[in-house]
Amino acid sequence: MRTTIYRARVLDVPSDPFTGGQLRSDEDVALTVTDGTITGRGSLAEARVGAPEAEVLDLRAGILLPGFVDTHVHYPQVRAIGGLGMPLLDWLDECALPEEEHMADAGYAGQVADELLAGLAQAGTTTALVFGAHQASAMDVFFAAAEGSGLRITAGLVVGDRLLKDTLHTTPDAALSEAGRLIETWHGRGKLRYAVTPRFSLSATDELLAACAQTFTSREDLYFTSHVNENTAEVEAVAELFPHAAHYLDTYDRHGLLGPRSVLAHNVHPVPAELARMGETGVSVAHCPSSNASLGSGLFPMRAHLDAGVHVALGSDVGGGTGFSLIKEGLQAYFAQQARPDGVPLAPEHLLHLATVAGAHALGLDQVGHLSEGMAFDAVWFRPQEGSTAEAVLRSAASAGDALAKIFALGTPADVAQVWVAGEAPRMRRRPPSCSADPG
Ligand code: GUN
Ligand code: ZN
């Protein structure tokens, strides 16, 4: 049994601020962590009585937050970041898909896997739903790297059988057998889980979606993820390809792909019937505000989602998105609502909730998202560099809410000094985020 006491200023949002939950702020609290789980939360004196032998790490020079949860990030698109100036379908053709073809080379795929996992950890992301590659070989490489990293990763082989590039297309039979083998090999191993992942209905025939449904229902503990209603040209193309579907969401629904273990990215242009059905089925939406702005997809209708009882979390959508930081996604989510006439006024606690507990809920991970007793110690030590603007501004914060607002306004991966997943630092083959706890 290994016990460590973390003494820190802690900010988290244990209950949903969209339904009355508040920011929890403790200026000086001791978290006792035993074998990766928080076994006590109270004063340092209490913690010392409970674990007299335990090492005490003093983190009061920064702020301790729960680890971030990214519900939509593309593994093969790390090097596609920065393709600015195009709408979705042009961006896919010109930036994303050519890059995704390179993943057929296992050496290349391994390098990109390491870049992705390091990018997540450096940004303070401890859990992610990762949109995979089209090549099963690249997924083996990725799952092996993800397992080694210690991050909590849910991911799957991406499948499409039309309108992409011939080199990326599969068949329903191949999709079924390759997913079966990957699930057998990787699902449930360490912190890894499998998500059935058709790219989007535009690139999937009904036969392929039926194969995905067969995989999804083959066990009770798999996830399903895809894209929906991101861009108006995409929505129109899907309506033409599926003339019998009631709407875009229905192309998934008619195959039984919707439920509490389903996460759909974007949903910028839903019709009311889709929102109602999402609320009814318990689907989560991965809101990807940087990507929505960068690809000109539109301003996310958060109010309509909340009114329909649709669960919303955050995604970076790298490489349509512009980086791994969920701090930045929180700020962009705030901007998008500010820019809509019916925008939801998002307070700092909403942003932290969206970046943590909301994602954990979308991924069915009850043990992460906040730092209460009984939870896993998945945490981010936010500590801006001395002399930086963030440090100066944070020092002047008038309240905990103000400090959190300042973190979202100014925070970057450079301010993430340390990350833990179940009490362990992620193990990276690339530069890890590390900085020894400093009692000063
Ligand atoms: N829709 C289908 N594929 C993609 C993708 O790679 N990125 C985004 N943003 N939307 C998609
Ligand atoms: Zn995406």
Side-chain angles (χ1 to χ4, degrees):
M1 229 169 56
R2 222 187 84 219
T3 300
T4 306
I5 296 169
Y6 297 89
R7 180 179 189 183
R9 179 178 184 196
V10 178
L11 296 180
D12 63 358
V13 190
S15 47
D16 188 348
F18 290 103
T19 54
Q22 307 267 318
L23 174 63
R24 173 168 63 173
S25 160
D26 270 314
E27 287 298 314
D28 184 2
V29 73
L31 302 180
T32 303
V33 175
T34 305
D35 293 341
T37 299
I38 302 170
T39 50
R41 180 175 169 131
S43 71
L44 182 63
E46 283 163 358
R48 279 212 163 107
V49 170
E53 308 287 314
E55 181 190 5
V56 179
L57 280 182
D58 192 338
L59 304 174
R60 286 174 300 163
I63 296 183
L64 196 67
L65 303 170
F68 301 134
V69 182
D70 187 340
T71 60
H72 188 74
V73 52
H74 291 253
Y75 153 42
Q77 293 181 6
V78 180
R79 298 181 186 183
I81 292 174
L84 305 180
M86 284 162 272
L88 173 67
L89 299 178
D90 295 341
W91 178 82
L92 284 173
D93 283 344
E94 289 178 37
C95 287
L97 299 184
E99 177 60 21
E100 297 202 19
E101 286 184 297
H102 293 145
M103 305 298 280
D105 175 335
Y108 191 94
Q111 286 176 11
V112 175
D114 289 347
E115 289 162 9
L116 177 93
L117 295 162
L120 292 171
Q122 285 164 19
T125 295
T126 49
T127 296
L129 174 57
V130 177
F131 220 88
H134 283 272
Q135 302 86 351
S137 56
M139 290 314 295
D140 281 314
V141 164
F142 175 70
F143 277 124
E147 184 181 37
S149 77
L151 296 176
R152 292 183 202 277
I153 298 291
T154 306
L157 179 71
V158 175
V159 294
D161 62 349
R162 65 175 170 196
L163 297 172
L164 298 170
K165 287 175 177 289
D166 287 347
T167 48
L168 299 178
H169 289 157
T170 188
T171 62
D173 282 348
L176 200 59
S177 67
E178 289 182 335
R181 186 190 63 73
L182 287 165
I183 290 165
E184 182 102 337
T185 311
W186 298 109
H187 180 67
R189 197 153 134 177
K191 301 186 188 71
L192 304 180
R193 301 179 311 169
Y194 195 85
V196 178
T197 313
R199 187 164 199 124
F200 57 166
S201 292
L202 193 150
S203 67
T205 60
D206 267 313
E207 291 70 29
L208 185 65
L209 291 170
C212 289
Q214 200 177 325
T215 304
F216 184 46
T217 53
S218 66
R219 306 174 50 119
E220 284 183 348
D221 55 354
L222 297 173
Y223 270 76
F224 169 75
T225 190
S226 193
H227 298 91
V228 77
N229 291 320
E230 176 175 0
N231 161 292
T232 50
E234 170 212 16
V235 175
E236 281 163 25
V238 168
E240 279 178 25
L241 289 165
F242 292 88
H244 304 300
H247 39 60
Y248 196 153
L249 187 75
D250 191 39
T251 63
Y252 302 124
D253 198 6
R254 63 209 342 242
H255 289 285
L257 290 165
L258 306 183
R261 305 178 81 88
S262 307
V263 180
L264 291 172
H266 300 286
N267 209 32
V268 180
H269 305 284
V271 297
E274 290 177 295
L275 288 167
R277 184 71 183 140
M278 286 179 154
E280 202 172 274
T281 53
V283 165
S284 291
V285 167
H287 171 32
C288 306
S290 293
S291 170
N292 293 344
S294 185
L295 299 176
S297 302
L299 296 170
F300 182 66
M302 187 176 285
R303 169 90 55 206
H305 281 74
L306 297 180
D307 288 349
V310 182
H311 184 74
V312 176
L314 279 185
S316 65
D317 196 29
V318 158
T322 56
F324 294 103
S325 174
L326 283 203
I327 294 177
K328 181 168 81 177
E329 293 308 324
L331 185 66
Q332 290 291 328
Y334 166 79
F335 288 162
Q337 294 312 300
Q338 288 291 99
R340 282 188 68 104
D342 68 345
V344 179
L346 295 175
E349 58 267 31
H350 294 111
L351 307 186
L352 187 58
H353 165 82
L354 286 167
T356 57
V357 180
H361 175 87
L363 300 183
L365 293 169
D366 297 341
Q367 75 275 35
V368 302
H370 56 93
L371 296 169
S372 303
E373 200 174 318
M375 302 291 278
F377 186 67
D378 285 20
V380 179
W381 190 33
F382 185 88
R383 187 193 182 189
Q385 307 225 327
E386 247 174 74
S388 66
T389 305
E391 189 227 15
V393 171
L394 202 53
R395 210 178 326 111
S396 76
S399 64
D402 190 29
L404 192 57
K406 287 169 162 43
I407 289 173
F408 277 103
L410 284 166
T412 73
D415 305 312
V416 171
Q418 179 70 288
V419 171
W420 297 266
V421 185
E424 302 281 341
R427 296 172 296 277
M428 291 298 150
R429 288 189 291 214
R430 292 177 60 78
R431 182 175 70 82
S434 68
C435 171
S436 55
D438 172 1

